[in-house]
Amino acid sequence: MTNISSDVIRGYNDTIILFLLMEKPSYGYEISKQIRMLSDEKYIIKETTLYSAFTRMEKNGYVESFSDQDATGGKKRTYYRITDVGREYYKEKCAEWELTKEVVELFIMKEV
């Protein structure tokens, strides 16, 4: 099985993370687990990549963080939620992806 190179997907980490935050706030480990599961283990995001994305997106106003107890009443976790600005950014990135896919497809041989 081929895994996705982090170089190839780097520009879409924000899109992936924002997608996962659309339904409900979440925290880093859970998001990492969801990415791994939904991609059928084809993409495993590095912890440093994930937290760099959170920092960048929070700075840009796409997400906001807050602390909360985990469901078991154990340790406090930092959760992230998407903002209205983040929802708009997500839509822009989805449109960009459609265009990117269209262009790259022009240069992909179906049989090599």
PDB file of all heavy atoms in Angstrom, residues 16-48:
ATOM      1  N   ILE A  16      -8.431  19.483   5.586  1.00  0.00           N
ATOM      2  CA  ILE A  16      -8.770  18.213   6.235  1.00  0.00           C
ATOM      3  C   ILE A  16      -9.190  18.463   7.683  1.00  0.00           C
ATOM      4  O   ILE A  16     -10.215  17.949   8.146  1.00  0.00           O
ATOM      5  CB  ILE A  16      -7.570  17.244   6.170  1.00  0.00           C
ATOM      6  CG1 ILE A  16      -7.330  16.809   4.714  1.00  0.00           C
ATOM      7  CG2 ILE A  16      -7.772  16.050   7.082  1.00  0.00           C
ATOM      8  CD1 ILE A  16      -5.984  16.124   4.482  1.00  0.00           C
ATOM      9  N   ILE A  17      -8.416  19.260   8.386  1.00  0.00           N
ATOM     10  CA  ILE A  17      -8.711  19.544   9.794  1.00  0.00           C
ATOM     11  C   ILE A  17     -10.026  20.312   9.931  1.00  0.00           C
ATOM     12  O   ILE A  17     -10.874  19.982  10.769  1.00  0.00           O
ATOM     13  CB  ILE A  17      -7.544  20.315  10.451  1.00  0.00           C
ATOM     14  CG1 ILE A  17      -6.285  19.437  10.495  1.00  0.00           C
ATOM     15  CG2 ILE A  17      -7.924  20.804  11.853  1.00  0.00           C
ATOM     16  CD1 ILE A  17      -5.000  20.195  10.759  1.00  0.00           C
ATOM     17  N   LEU A  18     -10.227  21.320   9.096  1.00  0.00           N
ATOM     18  CA  LEU A  18     -11.459  22.108   9.160  1.00  0.00           C
ATOM     19  C   LEU A  18     -12.679  21.234   8.855  1.00  0.00           C
ATOM     20  O   LEU A  18     -13.731  21.386   9.488  1.00  0.00           O
ATOM     21  CB  LEU A  18     -11.389  23.308   8.215  1.00  0.00           C
ATOM     22  CG  LEU A  18     -10.394  24.394   8.634  1.00  0.00           C
ATOM     23  CD1 LEU A  18     -10.274  25.447   7.542  1.00  0.00           C
ATOM     24  CD2 LEU A  18     -10.763  25.022   9.966  1.00  0.00           C
ATOM     25  N   PHE A  19     -12.538  20.324   7.901  1.00  0.00           N
ATOM     26  CA  PHE A  19     -13.623  19.389   7.586  1.00  0.00           C
ATOM     27  C   PHE A  19     -14.042  18.636   8.853  1.00  0.00           C
ATOM     28  O   PHE A  19     -15.227  18.501   9.151  1.00  0.00           O
ATOM     29  CB  PHE A  19     -13.170  18.404   6.498  1.00  0.00           C
ATOM     30  CG  PHE A  19     -14.123  17.258   6.295  1.00  0.00           C
ATOM     31  CD1 PHE A  19     -15.243  17.408   5.490  1.00  0.00           C
ATOM     32  CD2 PHE A  19     -13.902  16.035   6.909  1.00  0.00           C
ATOM     33  CE1 PHE A  19     -16.135  16.347   5.307  1.00  0.00           C
ATOM     34  CE2 PHE A  19     -14.775  14.976   6.728  1.00  0.00           C
ATOM     35  CZ  PHE A  19     -15.903  15.129   5.923  1.00  0.00           C
ATOM     36  N   LEU A  20     -13.050  18.157   9.592  1.00  0.00           N
ATOM     37  CA  LEU A  20     -13.336  17.372  10.795  1.00  0.00           C
ATOM     38  C   LEU A  20     -13.927  18.223  11.916  1.00  0.00           C
ATOM     39  O   LEU A  20     -14.612  17.700  12.802  1.00  0.00           O
ATOM     40  CB  LEU A  20     -12.077  16.646  11.263  1.00  0.00           C
ATOM     41  CG  LEU A  20     -11.595  15.570  10.287  1.00  0.00           C
ATOM     42  CD1 LEU A  20     -10.220  15.055  10.691  1.00  0.00           C
ATOM     43  CD2 LEU A  20     -12.597  14.431  10.178  1.00  0.00           C
ATOM     44  N   LEU A  21     -13.683  19.533  11.889  1.00  0.00           N
ATOM     45  CA  LEU A  21     -14.220  20.422  12.927  1.00  0.00           C
ATOM     46  C   LEU A  21     -15.599  20.971  12.557  1.00  0.00           C
ATOM     47  O   LEU A  21     -16.227  21.645  13.372  1.00  0.00           O
ATOM     48  CB  LEU A  21     -13.254  21.582  13.179  1.00  0.00           C
ATOM     49  CG  LEU A  21     -11.926  21.200  13.827  1.00  0.00           C
ATOM     50  CD1 LEU A  21     -11.011  22.417  13.912  1.00  0.00           C
ATOM     51  CD2 LEU A  21     -12.144  20.585  15.203  1.00  0.00           C
ATOM     52  N   MET A  22     -16.071  20.697  11.339  1.00  0.00           N
ATOM     53  CA  MET A  22     -17.363  21.241  10.898  1.00  0.00           C
ATOM     54  C   MET A  22     -18.512  20.765  11.788  1.00  0.00           C
ATOM     55  O   MET A  22     -19.400  21.539  12.099  1.00  0.00           O
ATOM     56  CB  MET A  22     -17.663  20.828   9.457  1.00  0.00           C
ATOM     57  CG  MET A  22     -16.805  21.536   8.453  1.00  0.00           C
ATOM     58  SD  MET A  22     -17.239  23.256   8.306  1.00  0.00           S
ATOM     59  CE  MET A  22     -17.216  23.409   6.559  1.00  0.00           C
ATOM     60  N   GLU A  23     -18.493  19.504  12.187  1.00  0.00           N
ATOM     61  CA  GLU A  23     -19.601  18.971  12.970  1.00  0.00           C
ATOM     62  C   GLU A  23     -19.520  19.309  14.444  1.00  0.00           C
ATOM     63  O   GLU A  23     -20.529  19.588  15.070  1.00  0.00           O
ATOM     64  CB  GLU A  23     -19.691  17.462  12.793  1.00  0.00           C
ATOM     65  CG  GLU A  23     -20.248  17.090  11.444  1.00  0.00           C
ATOM     66  CD  GLU A  23     -20.761  15.675  11.404  1.00  0.00           C
ATOM     67  OE1 GLU A  23     -21.100  15.125  12.473  1.00  0.00           O
ATOM     68  OE2 GLU A  23     -20.819  15.135  10.298  1.00  0.00           O
ATOM     69  N   LYS A  24     -18.294  19.257  14.994  1.00  0.00           N
ATOM     70  CA  LYS A  24     -18.163  19.535  16.429  1.00  0.00           C
ATOM     71  C   LYS A  24     -16.713  19.838  16.765  1.00  0.00           C
ATOM     72  O   LYS A  24     -15.796  19.416  16.058  1.00  0.00           O
ATOM     73  CB  LYS A  24     -18.656  18.347  17.262  1.00  0.00           C
ATOM     74  CG  LYS A  24     -17.839  17.091  17.081  1.00  0.00           C
ATOM     75  CD  LYS A  24     -18.381  15.971  17.939  1.00  0.00           C
ATOM     76  CE  LYS A  24     -17.650  14.740  17.615  1.00  0.00           C
ATOM     77  NZ  LYS A  24     -17.037  13.872  18.353  1.00  0.00           N
ATOM     78  N   PRO A  25     -16.486  20.566  17.856  1.00  0.00           N
ATOM     79  CA  PRO A  25     -15.119  20.818  18.303  1.00  0.00           C
ATOM     80  C   PRO A  25     -14.407  19.502  18.627  1.00  0.00           C
ATOM     81  O   PRO A  25     -15.058  18.506  18.958  1.00  0.00           O
ATOM     82  CB  PRO A  25     -15.296  21.655  19.573  1.00  0.00           C
ATOM     83  CG  PRO A  25     -16.655  22.259  19.443  1.00  0.00           C
ATOM     84  CD  PRO A  25     -17.473  21.232  18.704  1.00  0.00           C
ATOM     85  N   SER A  26     -13.100  19.512  18.522  1.00  0.00           N
ATOM     86  CA  SER A  26     -12.331  18.311  18.825  1.00  0.00           C
ATOM     87  C   SER A  26     -10.935  18.711  19.278  1.00  0.00           C
ATOM     88  O   SER A  26     -10.582  19.884  19.286  1.00  0.00           O
ATOM     89  CB  SER A  26     -12.271  17.406  17.593  1.00  0.00           C
ATOM     90  OG  SER A  26     -11.787  16.123  17.948  1.00  0.00           O
ATOM     91  N   TYR A  27     -10.135  17.720  19.625  1.00  0.00           N
ATOM     92  CA  TYR A  27      -8.771  17.962  20.097  1.00  0.00           C
ATOM     93  C   TYR A  27      -7.798  17.178  19.217  1.00  0.00           C
ATOM     94  O   TYR A  27      -8.185  16.293  18.436  1.00  0.00           O
ATOM     95  CB  TYR A  27      -8.639  17.590  21.577  1.00  0.00           C
ATOM     96  CG  TYR A  27      -9.036  16.180  21.909  1.00  0.00           C
ATOM     97  CD1 TYR A  27      -8.082  15.162  21.972  1.00  0.00           C
ATOM     98  CD2 TYR A  27     -10.371  15.851  22.153  1.00  0.00           C
ATOM     99  CE1 TYR A  27      -8.451  13.858  22.271  1.00  0.00           C
ATOM    100  CE2 TYR A  27     -10.739  14.555  22.453  1.00  0.00           C
ATOM    101  CZ  TYR A  27      -9.776  13.563  22.506  1.00  0.00           C
ATOM    102  OH  TYR A  27     -10.148  12.281  22.799  1.00  0.00           O
ATOM    103  N   GLY A  28      -6.532  17.503  19.340  1.00  0.00           N
ATOM    104  CA  GLY A  28      -5.496  16.989  18.454  1.00  0.00           C
ATOM    105  C   GLY A  28      -5.463  15.492  18.264  1.00  0.00           C
ATOM    106  O   GLY A  28      -5.497  15.002  17.132  1.00  0.00           O
ATOM    107  N   TYR A  29      -5.399  14.734  19.342  1.00  0.00           N
ATOM    108  CA  TYR A  29      -5.275  13.284  19.218  1.00  0.00           C
ATOM    109  C   TYR A  29      -6.480  12.685  18.490  1.00  0.00           C
ATOM    110  O   TYR A  29      -6.341  11.821  17.635  1.00  0.00           O
ATOM    111  CB  TYR A  29      -5.104  12.628  20.593  1.00  0.00           C
ATOM    112  CG  TYR A  29      -5.046  11.125  20.508  1.00  0.00           C
ATOM    113  CD1 TYR A  29      -3.931  10.483  19.959  1.00  0.00           C
ATOM    114  CD2 TYR A  29      -6.115  10.345  20.934  1.00  0.00           C
ATOM    115  CE1 TYR A  29      -3.880   9.100  19.849  1.00  0.00           C
ATOM    116  CE2 TYR A  29      -6.074   8.959  20.834  1.00  0.00           C
ATOM    117  CZ  TYR A  29      -4.952   8.344  20.291  1.00  0.00           C
ATOM    118  OH  TYR A  29      -4.912   6.978  20.176  1.00  0.00           O
ATOM    119  N   GLU A  30      -7.662  13.170  18.813  1.00  0.00           N
ATOM    120  CA  GLU A  30      -8.887  12.662  18.175  1.00  0.00           C
ATOM    121  C   GLU A  30      -8.888  12.985  16.678  1.00  0.00           C
ATOM    122  O   GLU A  30      -9.262  12.149  15.855  1.00  0.00           O
ATOM    123  CB  GLU A  30     -10.127  13.252  18.858  1.00  0.00           C
ATOM    124  CG  GLU A  30     -11.430  12.727  18.309  1.00  0.00           C
ATOM    125  CD  GLU A  30     -11.629  11.220  18.473  1.00  0.00           C
ATOM    126  OE1 GLU A  30     -11.102  10.617  19.430  1.00  0.00           O
ATOM    127  OE2 GLU A  30     -12.315  10.638  17.612  1.00  0.00           O
ATOM    128  N   ILE A  31      -8.464  14.177  16.317  1.00  0.00           N
ATOM    129  CA  ILE A  31      -8.408  14.564  14.905  1.00  0.00           C
ATOM    130  C   ILE A  31      -7.397  13.692  14.170  1.00  0.00           C
ATOM    131  O   ILE A  31      -7.664  13.190  13.073  1.00  0.00           O
ATOM    132  CB  ILE A  31      -8.088  16.067  14.763  1.00  0.00           C
ATOM    133  CG1 ILE A  31      -9.337  16.860  15.173  1.00  0.00           C
ATOM    134  CG2 ILE A  31      -7.648  16.412  13.353  1.00  0.00           C
ATOM    135  CD1 ILE A  31      -9.156  18.335  15.224  1.00  0.00           C
ATOM    136  N   SER A  32      -6.251  13.485  14.771  1.00  0.00           N
ATOM    137  CA  SER A  32      -5.223  12.627  14.188  1.00  0.00           C
ATOM    138  C   SER A  32      -5.774  11.222  13.942  1.00  0.00           C
ATOM    139  O   SER A  32      -5.560  10.622  12.876  1.00  0.00           O
ATOM    140  CB  SER A  32      -4.024  12.577  15.136  1.00  0.00           C
ATOM    141  OG  SER A  32      -3.130  11.581  14.777  1.00  0.00           O
ATOM    142  N   LYS A  33      -6.493  10.691  14.918  1.00  0.00           N
ATOM    143  CA  LYS A  33      -7.091   9.364  14.818  1.00  0.00           C
ATOM    144  C   LYS A  33      -8.122   9.311  13.678  1.00  0.00           C
ATOM    145  O   LYS A  33      -8.160   8.352  12.909  1.00  0.00           O
ATOM    146  CB  LYS A  33      -7.771   9.028  16.148  1.00  0.00           C
ATOM    147  CG  LYS A  33      -7.580   7.623  16.618  1.00  0.00           C
ATOM    148  CD  LYS A  33      -7.984   7.432  18.076  1.00  0.00           C
ATOM    149  CE  LYS A  33      -9.438   7.750  18.322  1.00  0.00           C
ATOM    150  NZ  LYS A  33      -9.882   7.410  19.674  1.00  0.00           N
ATOM    151  N   GLN A  34      -8.936  10.354  13.570  1.00  0.00           N
ATOM    152  CA  GLN A  34      -9.958  10.403  12.524  1.00  0.00           C
ATOM    153  C   GLN A  34      -9.319  10.455  11.128  1.00  0.00           C
ATOM    154  O   GLN A  34      -9.810   9.802  10.209  1.00  0.00           O
ATOM    155  CB  GLN A  34     -10.867  11.616  12.718  1.00  0.00           C
ATOM    156  CG  GLN A  34     -11.840  11.461  13.859  1.00  0.00           C
ATOM    157  CD  GLN A  34     -12.730  12.678  13.946  1.00  0.00           C
ATOM    158  OE1 GLN A  34     -12.271  13.772  14.269  1.00  0.00           O
ATOM    159  NE2 GLN A  34     -14.000  12.502  13.648  1.00  0.00           N
ATOM    160  N   ILE A  35      -8.259  11.240  10.982  1.00  0.00           N
ATOM    161  CA  ILE A  35      -7.568  11.335   9.692  1.00  0.00           C
ATOM    162  C   ILE A  35      -7.034   9.964   9.298  1.00  0.00           C
ATOM    163  O   ILE A  35      -7.203   9.513   8.159  1.00  0.00           O
ATOM    164  CB  ILE A  35      -6.439  12.389   9.729  1.00  0.00           C
ATOM    165  CG1 ILE A  35      -7.037  13.795   9.852  1.00  0.00           C
ATOM    166  CG2 ILE A  35      -5.538  12.274   8.495  1.00  0.00           C
ATOM    167  CD1 ILE A  35      -6.025  14.887  10.146  1.00  0.00           C
ATOM    168  N   ARG A  36      -6.390   9.309  10.227  1.00  0.00           N
ATOM    169  CA  ARG A  36      -5.836   7.977   9.969  1.00  0.00           C
ATOM    170  C   ARG A  36      -6.947   6.995   9.583  1.00  0.00           C
ATOM    171  O   ARG A  36      -6.829   6.251   8.620  1.00  0.00           O
ATOM    172  CB  ARG A  36      -5.071   7.496  11.205  1.00  0.00           C
ATOM    173  CG  ARG A  36      -4.233   6.273  10.973  1.00  0.00           C
ATOM    174  CD  ARG A  36      -3.301   5.943  12.133  1.00  0.00           C
ATOM    175  NE  ARG A  36      -3.955   5.871  13.432  1.00  0.00           N
ATOM    176  CZ  ARG A  36      -3.787   6.757  14.417  1.00  0.00           C
ATOM    177  NH1 ARG A  36      -2.964   7.782  14.270  1.00  0.00           N
ATOM    178  NH2 ARG A  36      -4.415   6.615  15.561  1.00  0.00           N
ATOM    179  N   MET A  37      -8.048   7.028  10.317  1.00  0.00           N
ATOM    180  CA  MET A  37      -9.146   6.103  10.070  1.00  0.00           C
ATOM    181  C   MET A  37      -9.857   6.404   8.739  1.00  0.00           C
ATOM    182  O   MET A  37     -10.057   5.511   7.916  1.00  0.00           O
ATOM    183  CB  MET A  37     -10.157   6.163  11.205  1.00  0.00           C
ATOM    184  CG  MET A  37     -11.286   5.169  11.082  1.00  0.00           C
ATOM    185  SD  MET A  37     -12.623   5.502  12.259  1.00  0.00           S
ATOM    186  CE  MET A  37     -13.278   7.031  11.615  1.00  0.00           C
ATOM    187  N   LEU A  38     -10.236   7.665   8.528  1.00  0.00           N
ATOM    188  CA  LEU A  38     -10.971   8.025   7.311  1.00  0.00           C
ATOM    189  C   LEU A  38     -10.140   7.841   6.040  1.00  0.00           C
ATOM    190  O   LEU A  38     -10.697   7.609   4.973  1.00  0.00           O
ATOM    191  CB  LEU A  38     -11.495   9.463   7.399  1.00  0.00           C
ATOM    192  CG  LEU A  38     -12.601   9.692   8.422  1.00  0.00           C
ATOM    193  CD1 LEU A  38     -12.893  11.166   8.585  1.00  0.00           C
ATOM    194  CD2 LEU A  38     -13.865   8.927   8.020  1.00  0.00           C
ATOM    195  N   SER A  39      -8.824   7.960   6.154  1.00  0.00           N
ATOM    196  CA  SER A  39      -7.957   7.765   4.987  1.00  0.00           C
ATOM    197  C   SER A  39      -7.548   6.303   4.835  1.00  0.00           C
ATOM    198  O   SER A  39      -6.731   5.977   3.982  1.00  0.00           O
ATOM    199  CB  SER A  39      -6.706   8.642   5.088  1.00  0.00           C
ATOM    200  OG  SER A  39      -5.823   8.145   6.083  1.00  0.00           O
ATOM    201  N   ASP A  40      -8.104   5.447   5.669  1.00  0.00           N
ATOM    202  CA  ASP A  40      -7.778   4.025   5.644  1.00  0.00           C
ATOM    203  C   ASP A  40      -6.269   3.814   5.805  1.00  0.00           C
ATOM    204  O   ASP A  40      -5.655   3.040   5.071  1.00  0.00           O
ATOM    205  CB  ASP A  40      -8.299   3.398   4.352  1.00  0.00           C
ATOM    206  CG  ASP A  40      -8.448   1.893   4.444  1.00  0.00           C
ATOM    207  OD1 ASP A  40      -8.547   1.369   5.582  1.00  0.00           O
ATOM    208  OD2 ASP A  40      -8.439   1.230   3.393  1.00  0.00           O
ATOM    209  N   GLU A  41      -5.698   4.593   6.732  1.00  0.00           N
ATOM    210  CA  GLU A  41      -4.264   4.518   7.077  1.00  0.00           C
ATOM    211  C   GLU A  41      -3.336   5.009   5.954  1.00  0.00           C
ATOM    212  O   GLU A  41      -2.130   4.820   6.021  1.00  0.00           O
ATOM    213  CB  GLU A  41      -3.854   3.099   7.484  1.00  0.00           C
ATOM    214  CG  GLU A  41      -4.650   2.521   8.629  1.00  0.00           C
ATOM    215  CD  GLU A  41      -4.078   2.810  10.008  1.00  0.00           C
ATOM    216  OE1 GLU A  41      -2.855   3.013  10.125  1.00  0.00           O
ATOM    217  OE2 GLU A  41      -4.871   2.832  10.960  1.00  0.00           O
ATOM    218  N   LYS A  42      -3.900   5.639   4.915  1.00  0.00           N
ATOM    219  CA  LYS A  42      -3.067   6.126   3.805  1.00  0.00           C
ATOM    220  C   LYS A  42      -2.396   7.453   4.147  1.00  0.00           C
ATOM    221  O   LYS A  42      -1.424   7.830   3.515  1.00  0.00           O
ATOM    222  CB  LYS A  42      -3.900   6.261   2.534  1.00  0.00           C
ATOM    223  CG  LYS A  42      -4.330   4.914   1.970  1.00  0.00           C
ATOM    224  CD  LYS A  42      -5.136   5.102   0.709  1.00  0.00           C
ATOM    225  CE  LYS A  42      -5.622   3.786   0.183  1.00  0.00           C
ATOM    226  NZ  LYS A  42      -6.966   3.461   0.636  1.00  0.00           N
ATOM    227  N   TYR A  43      -2.975   8.173   5.102  1.00  0.00           N
ATOM    228  CA  TYR A  43      -2.359   9.430   5.540  1.00  0.00           C
ATOM    229  C   TYR A  43      -2.352   9.460   7.057  1.00  0.00           C
ATOM    230  O   TYR A  43      -3.405   9.401   7.702  1.00  0.00           O
ATOM    231  CB  TYR A  43      -3.104  10.646   4.985  1.00  0.00           C
ATOM    232  CG  TYR A  43      -2.450  11.951   5.382  1.00  0.00           C
ATOM    233  CD1 TYR A  43      -1.076  12.148   5.239  1.00  0.00           C
ATOM    234  CD2 TYR A  43      -3.191  12.990   5.917  1.00  0.00           C
ATOM    235  CE1 TYR A  43      -0.471  13.335   5.612  1.00  0.00           C
ATOM    236  CE2 TYR A  43      -2.595  14.187   6.285  1.00  0.00           C
ATOM    237  CZ  TYR A  43      -1.237  14.346   6.134  1.00  0.00           C
ATOM    238  OH  TYR A  43      -0.642  15.522   6.507  1.00  0.00           O
ATOM    239  N   ILE A  44      -1.163   9.558   7.599  1.00  0.00           N
ATOM    240  CA  ILE A  44      -0.982   9.667   9.044  1.00  0.00           C
ATOM    241  C   ILE A  44      -0.288  11.000   9.291  1.00  0.00           C
ATOM    242  O   ILE A  44       0.871  11.180   8.927  1.00  0.00           O
ATOM    243  CB  ILE A  44      -0.163   8.472   9.591  1.00  0.00           C
ATOM    244  CG1 ILE A  44      -0.937   7.174   9.320  1.00  0.00           C
ATOM    245  CG2 ILE A  44       0.121   8.658  11.075  1.00  0.00           C
ATOM    246  CD1 ILE A  44      -0.157   5.908   9.552  1.00  0.00           C
ATOM    247  N   ILE A  45      -1.035  11.932   9.859  1.00  0.00           N
ATOM    248  CA  ILE A  45      -0.502  13.275  10.074  1.00  0.00           C
ATOM    249  C   ILE A  45       0.433  13.255  11.281  1.00  0.00           C
ATOM    250  O   ILE A  45       0.129  12.640  12.307  1.00  0.00           O
ATOM    251  CB  ILE A  45      -1.645  14.308  10.236  1.00  0.00           C
ATOM    252  CG1 ILE A  45      -1.109  15.727  10.162  1.00  0.00           C
ATOM    253  CG2 ILE A  45      -2.436  14.065  11.501  1.00  0.00           C
ATOM    254  CD1 ILE A  45      -2.183  16.792   9.976  1.00  0.00           C
ATOM    255  N   LYS A  46       1.573  13.912  11.131  1.00  0.00           N
ATOM    256  CA  LYS A  46       2.525  14.000  12.247  1.00  0.00           C
ATOM    257  C   LYS A  46       1.997  14.989  13.280  1.00  0.00           C
ATOM    258  O   LYS A  46       1.359  15.984  12.941  1.00  0.00           O
ATOM    259  CB  LYS A  46       3.889  14.460  11.735  1.00  0.00           C
ATOM    260  CG  LYS A  46       4.544  13.449  10.833  1.00  0.00           C
ATOM    261  CD  LYS A  46       5.864  13.997  10.317  1.00  0.00           C
ATOM    262  CE  LYS A  46       6.485  12.991   9.360  1.00  0.00           C
ATOM    263  NZ  LYS A  46       7.376  13.617   8.405  1.00  0.00           N
ATOM    264  N   GLU A  47       2.297  14.705  14.538  1.00  0.00           N
ATOM    265  CA  GLU A  47       1.834  15.565  15.631  1.00  0.00           C
ATOM    266  C   GLU A  47       2.315  17.007  15.451  1.00  0.00           C
ATOM    267  O   GLU A  47       1.545  17.944  15.630  1.00  0.00           O
ATOM    268  CB  GLU A  47       2.327  14.994  16.963  1.00  0.00           C
ATOM    269  CG  GLU A  47       1.653  15.598  18.156  1.00  0.00           C
ATOM    270  CD  GLU A  47       2.049  14.907  19.446  1.00  0.00           C
ATOM    271  OE1 GLU A  47       2.137  13.670  19.470  1.00  0.00           O
ATOM    272  OE2 GLU A  47       2.279  15.646  20.431  1.00  0.00           O
ATOM    273  N   THR A  48       3.581  17.175  15.063  1.00  0.00           N
ATOM    274  CA  THR A  48       4.109  18.535  14.880  1.00  0.00           C
ATOM    275  C   THR A  48       3.383  19.255  13.748  1.00  0.00           C
ATOM    276  O   THR A  48       3.104  20.447  13.852  1.00  0.00           O
ATOM    277  CB  THR A  48       5.622  18.527  14.595  1.00  0.00           C
ATOM    278  OG1 THR A  48       5.883  17.657  13.489  1.00  0.00           O
ATOM    279  CG2 THR A  48       6.421  18.071  15.786  1.00  0.00           C
TER     280      THR A  48
END
